[in-house]
Amino acid sequence: MRYDYLIVGAGLFGSVFAHEMKGKGKKCLVIDRREHIAGNIYTEETEGIQVHRYGAHIFHTSDKAVWEYINRFAEFNHYVNSPVAIYGNELYNLPFNMNTFSKLWGIRTPAEAKAIIDRQIAEAGIGEPHNLEEQAISLAGRDVYEKLVKGYTEKQWGRDCTELPSFIIKRLPLRFTYDNNYFNDAYQGIPKGGYTAIVQKLLEGIPVRTGISYRDFLAQNENKEDGDSFERVLYTGMIDEYFDYCYGALEYRSLRFETELLKDCENYQGNAVVNYTERSVPYTRIIEHKHFEFGTQPVTVITREYPSAWKRGDEPYYPMNDEKNNALFTRYQELAEKQERVLFGGRLGQYRYYDMDKVIAEALRMAGQM
């Protein structure tokens, strides 16, 4: 078969691009090294509960066009992300708001909260922050940093906050209202029936092959008269892997998930997302999946998320966008620009962290240029 586009990666970016190109009359073939479609937003049903296999994914955006686009493929519920944080035996609301400050200091008014934070910032006497710890304290004061930022961040990145660059935390959202809504975006929710169904609809009528890598696909078709061929490639895998790590490997943080079906428990934690902010607790958060869709099942499913160091062969989740890695990515980007028939897209192909709405917007932009 002759295709216009080989799309490497059946995640959200590749699937939106494939859908748009099919709409333009182009023949597309989608492949993915995993055994399933939908990439990291893959959901699978367990006991009637949609389980987010690769961590919690809450759709949120202020881009009305993106919201209207994704709603073509799913009906969204009215879920609002309101996580809580546990520090020792203490429980706090996130994001940092008046409920948080009231629990921390026993105060009631925004003026009281601001006065405490301003005093702690002044007492710290930090001029130009030299690391993440100094940056966080200069933004939110020592109490918020010590209880709600320090341990969680050190687990997430595998390093002490004093060893992490300040730019990782450009700002800390301090809200002086009693509002636990984590996102400021106008549109927010969870697709009824899970994310996998969205990708299935995006890929309707498009041939998809799972369980095969890009290199294996090329090897299978090499020198075959009846093999598949294609005019162009959209590559959404790791850009450094595409170029055989010729300049060295870009760095990532990875995650390990422990998912458990609790048949003798109807409601484990009472909230979809609970963060554990002490460094001594090995996981960063526990997800209880049924609460994303207000489930009433007699059982529940929870997932503990463990941040981990990344090495080749592990699943890459968070690009380490520090100065060293960004400089290395620039070198790979220069190679990519010389590839006349290959496009690079998505979190791994463009080496940046994307929220889902930004993935869709970028995929639509790229498809619109074709």
Side-chain angles (χ1 to χ4, degrees):
M1 179 69 71
R2 182 74 174 172
Y3 295 98
D4 296 296
Y5 286 91
L6 171 67
I7 296 167
V8 182
L12 187 57
F13 194 105
S15 299
V16 169
F17 184 89
H19 180 84
E20 294 303 301
M21 299 317 294
K22 178 177 181 289
K24 293 185 175 186
K26 303 296 184 182
K27 290 184 179 178
C28 300
L29 171 65
V30 178
I31 65 172
D32 200 293
R33 67 172 59 186
R34 288 174 173 169
E35 295 293 340
H36 59 75
I37 62 171
N40 285 350
I41 66 171
Y42 176 71
T43 52
E44 57 187 346
E45 186 172 312
T46 300
E47 300 284 343
I49 299 167
Q50 289 295 327
V51 176
H52 299 212
R53 185 190 284 188
Y54 302 101
H57 285 82
I58 298 118
F59 198 93
H60 59 97
T61 187
S62 290
D63 189 327
K64 187 176 181 180
V66 167
W67 180 246
E68 291 176 346
Y69 181 85
I70 197 66
N71 273 265
R72 290 162 48 190
F73 306 97
E75 181 183 355
F76 280 73
N77 66 20
H78 60 280
Y79 175 83
V80 172
N81 191 33
S82 302
V84 296
I86 291 177
Y87 178 85
N89 293 320
E90 303 166 11
L91 188 147
Y92 296 96
N93 290 105
L94 298 175
F96 312 133
N97 66 71
M98 285 303 300
N99 288 309
T100 318
F101 306 143
S102 177
K103 183 69 176 289
L104 274 171
W105 303 311
I107 53 90
R108 291 186 300 170
T109 68
E112 291 174 299
K114 288 179 181 178
I116 292 172
I117 292 171
D118 289 346
R119 186 182 72 246
Q120 291 187 2
I121 292 172
E123 288 173 350
I126 297 168
E128 181 68 26
H130 294 98
N131 54 53
L132 188 147
E133 177 172 286
E134 292 182 352
Q135 175 78 347
I137 293 173
S138 69
L139 290 171
R142 187 165 293 278
D143 287 348
V144 171
Y145 167 72
E146 291 287 349
K147 289 193 173 185
L148 301 175
V149 176
K150 185 178 188 296
Y152 189 94
T153 304
E154 289 178 342
K155 287 188 289 188
Q156 192 74 21
W157 295 100
R159 293 159 60 184
D160 291 343
C161 285
T162 54
E163 299 173 355
L164 290 167
S166 60
F167 71 78
I168 289 178
I169 294 183
K170 296 179 181 178
R171 63 182 184 88
L172 283 174
L174 302 178
R175 298 183 188 170
F176 296 97
T177 58
Y178 288 91
D179 181 6
N180 297 325
N181 185 349
Y182 194 82
F183 300 118
N184 283 319
D185 292 306
Y187 310 104
Q188 181 176 172
I190 299 288
K192 296 179 180 180
Y195 287 100
T196 302
I198 290 177
V199 177
Q200 287 172 337
K201 290 181 179 179
L202 284 166
L203 294 175
E204 278 182 2
I206 300 172
V208 179
R209 300 179 193 173
T210 57
I212 185 168
S213 70
Y214 178 56
R215 294 191 182 282
D216 288 344
F217 175 84
L218 293 181
Q220 288 181 11
N221 284 274
E222 190 176 12
N223 300 323
K224 279 188 177 180
E225 290 185 7
D226 60 345
D228 294 315
S229 60
F230 41 88
E231 291 292 331
R232 302 193 73 178
V233 175
L234 169 63
Y235 187 83
T236 68
M238 295 189 296
I239 189 172
D240 51 345
E241 183 180 48
Y242 180 88
F243 292 108
D244 294 319
Y245 305 101
C246 62
Y247 295 139
L250 292 163
E251 294 178 293
Y252 296 85
R253 286 291 289 170
S254 192
L255 291 171
R256 179 172 61 86
F257 302 99
E258 287 185 358
T259 298
E260 186 177 0
L261 169 63
L262 303 178
K263 291 193 172 183
D264 58 350
C265 179
E266 183 178 346
N267 187 355
Y268 179 78
Q269 62 187 17
N271 205 51
V273 182
V274 177
N275 292 358
Y276 287 77
T277 62
E278 288 180 288
R279 192 169 184 178
S280 58
V281 179
Y283 43 85
T284 50
R285 60 183 183 175
I286 296 179
I287 308 303
E288 188 167 8
H289 302 269
K290 68 187 299 180
H291 296 308
F292 288 129
E293 296 192 62
F294 316 109
T296 58
Q297 297 86 353
V299 300
T300 193
V301 179
I302 63 170
T303 298
R304 294 178 177 87
E305 293 188 12
Y306 296 82
S308 61
W310 177 86
K311 63 182 184 302
R312 287 193 206 178
D314 293 342
E315 198 65 46
Y317 286 95
Y318 301 107
M320 294 281 286
N321 290 118
D322 56 16
E323 185 176 347
K324 179 186 74 172
N325 282 286
N326 286 341
L328 181 57
F329 170 67
T330 298
R331 297 181 70 189
Y332 281 118
Q333 197 172 30
E334 290 170 353
L335 289 180
E337 289 170 355
K338 297 175 183 177
Q339 302 289 307
E340 295 181 358
R341 297 176 59 240
V342 183
L343 304 167
F344 294 85
R347 176 176 49 91
L348 305 179
Q350 296 175 334
Y351 196 65
R352 70 179 71 168
Y353 181 80
Y354 273 126
D355 286 329
M356 286 181 285
D357 63 325
K358 303 301 189 298
V359 169
I360 292 171
E362 176 63 15
L364 291 173
R365 184 200 65 80
M366 184 178 288
Q369 294 179 337
M370 298 297 106

